[in-house]
Amino acid sequence: MNTMITSKPVIRLADLPAFFNYPESRIRYPVGYLGAKWFRGGALGIAAMSECVIAKKNRKITIAVPSYFCGQTLRFLRSISVNIVFYELSEELTPDFQKIEKQFLNVEVDIFVLVHYFGSIKAQREARIFADCKD
């Protein structure tokens, strides 16, 4: 059997059936999660999640996204019943919560999108606190 070693993740044709038919019963979800939904990309995932919130709230919703957000990721959102509002970032590329508090003082935010730029994971706790206060 010939095996090729590469730095790129390569799927062999023989691997495809297992890749697409992975039994969900083998997936262990974190505590509190009942399942997962898989999408072909973030743009489709955010739009699908937004449509679920729209159906639950039965109204147009507001989604807060960072001012440096990829327009391509918003392409599906632009065709559904949402208000897209851009919020300011700090010099560290984290949400500027002081400005955000003022910006959304009289605005109900239904979805707050937090982005980790360049793989730097920051501001989860602050985003959670902000989201909880807006509920």
Side-chain angles (χ1 to χ4, degrees), residues 98-116:
Q98 288 182 344
K99 289 182 180 176
I100 291 170
E101 286 290 338
K102 292 176 186 171
Q103 180 182 1
F104 295 111
L105 190 60
N106 296 314
V107 177
E108 183 174 351
V109 177
D110 299 290
I111 299 174
F112 185 82
V113 178
L114 177 66
V115 176
H116 304 301

Side-chain angles (χ1 to χ4, degrees), residues 9-126:
V10 177
I11 298 176
R12 298 175 299 150
L13 189 58
D15 295 332
L16 287 177
F19 182 76
F20 288 109
N21 296 316
Y22 193 80
E24 190 170 351
S25 61
R26 292 182 55 194
I27 300 173
R28 286 192 268 158
Y29 297 109
V31 174
Y33 287 80
L34 303 176
K37 293 191 183 256
W38 298 92
F39 299 97
R40 292 179 186 236
L44 190 56
I46 289 174
M49 177 184 64
S50 298
E51 285 186 323
C52 288
V53 175
I54 290 167
K56 182 179 179 183
K57 295 193 173 197
N58 197 29
R59 63 171 171 76
K60 192 171 192 172
I61 63 168
T62 298
I63 300 175
V65 297
S67 54
Y68 298 115
F69 201 66
C70 176
Q72 185 69 8
T73 305
L74 299 175
R75 69 187 184 274
F76 296 124
L77 285 179
R78 296 189 191 281
S79 66
I80 61 177
S81 190
V82 299
N83 295 317
I84 302 170
V85 182
F86 296 91
Y87 63 81
E88 292 293 319
L89 295 175
S90 69
E91 290 181 13
E92 294 82 33
L93 296 177
T94 59
D96 188 329
F97 287 103
Q98 288 182 344
K99 289 182 180 176
I100 291 170
E101 286 290 338
K102 292 176 186 171
Q103 180 182 1
F104 295 111
L105 190 60
N106 296 314
V107 177
E108 183 174 351
V109 177
D110 299 290
I111 299 174
F112 185 82
V113 178
L114 177 66
V115 176
H116 304 301
Y117 291 100
F118 310 108
S120 180
I121 300 173
K122 299 177 187 174
Q124 294 94 320
R125 179 173 288 125
E126 295 89 347

